[in-house]
Amino acid sequence: EGIPVIIGTGMTEDVLEKARIHQAKGLVAAVTSDPDNLYIVLTASEMRPDLKIIARASEEDAIPKLLRAGAHQVLSPYHFIGHRIVQLLLRPNVLDFIDTAFGTERLDIEIGEVRVPETSALAGKSLGDSDIREKTGVLVLALKRATGSIDFNPPPEAVIEPGDFLIAIGSADHLQKLESLASS
């Protein structure tokens, strides 16, 4: 099908080299064994200390070890499912909304992020003055500031600064329009 495949384990430098780790934007260590994921993360982070690494953990006690080995984020499917079960009991209407918006029935809705470059026409404008919703159809959920702070549900008077990320919800086409608007 034209998809490149490498047969091997990500625990070896040779296989990671074949997978072009030095050109990679990120790495996901998501095999079923926590020790194997730990070894993959350790090997990859030694080869590319700047590489963004996401790891999967089955056991809670593996999470701090994976983070110390070089993972930027560690996700536990059991923790996620447990959280979802509790939310289903406590907030069933919220989960119905999320499933409707992002489930199999509505594959056209996404949450995306768009960086605002120095040269952007949006830089220095308030959200209200930028007319983002009218021009693109997206709803801005948050501004992730260049400083790292996040402004959730920013007011219309919030000023968009160069280097900020706009976190928005909309269709893929609408998010593409936002990207074009931010880069103009």
Side-chain angles (χ1 to χ4, degrees):
E1 295 181 25
I3 301 169
V5 175
I6 297 169
I7 307 294
T9 172
M11 293 185 284
T12 67
E13 291 178 4
D14 182 50
V15 169
L16 291 175
E17 289 282 350
K18 287 179 186 171
R20 298 184 292 174
I21 189 171
H22 295 291
Q23 290 83 35
K25 291 183 179 181
L27 181 134
V28 176
V31 297
T32 56
S33 161
D34 286 344
D36 288 352
N37 281 327
L38 182 63
Y39 208 85
I40 292 167
V41 168
L42 187 59
T43 304
S45 65
E46 284 180 350
M47 294 175 74
R48 279 278 310 277
D50 63 318
L51 186 64
K52 182 168 185 164
I53 300 173
I54 310 295
R56 173 195 187 274
S58 297
E59 303 293 328
E60 288 294 317
D61 64 344
I63 294 172
K65 293 173 185 162
L66 286 158
L67 290 168
R68 281 194 309 270
H72 292 85
Q73 271 187 295
V74 180
L75 303 173
S76 168
Y78 302 111
H79 177 78
F80 174 78
I81 294 298
H83 181 74
R84 185 166 169 88
I85 290 169
V86 169
Q87 294 304 312
L88 190 57
L89 285 171
L90 298 177
R91 296 177 183 91
N93 295 314
V94 172
L95 283 185
D96 284 346
F97 167 76
I98 291 170
D99 287 344
T100 300
F102 300 104
T104 55
E105 304 86 32
R106 291 295 308 266
L107 293 176
D108 59 329
I109 301 295
E110 301 175 23
I111 295 179
E113 62 179 55
V114 173
R115 186 177 182 281
V116 178
E118 299 279 334
T119 59
S120 175
L122 296 176
K125 285 187 177 180
S126 70
L127 280 172
D129 291 339
S130 68
D131 293 328
I132 289 174
R133 187 168 187 162
E134 292 76 18
K135 291 177 181 175
T136 67
V138 302
L139 176 64
V140 175
L141 302 173
L143 281 171
K144 182 168 184 186
R145 300 297 185 172
T147 61
S149 66
I150 298 179
D151 298 340
F152 291 100
N153 192 23
E157 57 273 6
V159 176
I160 304 165
E161 301 292 341
D164 287 351
F165 283 87
L166 300 166
I167 311 299
I169 186 169
S171 69
D173 288 343
H174 292 157
L175 289 167
Q176 182 62 46
K177 287 179 185 176
L178 176 60
E179 205 166 300
S180 296
L181 180 64
S183 63
S184 64

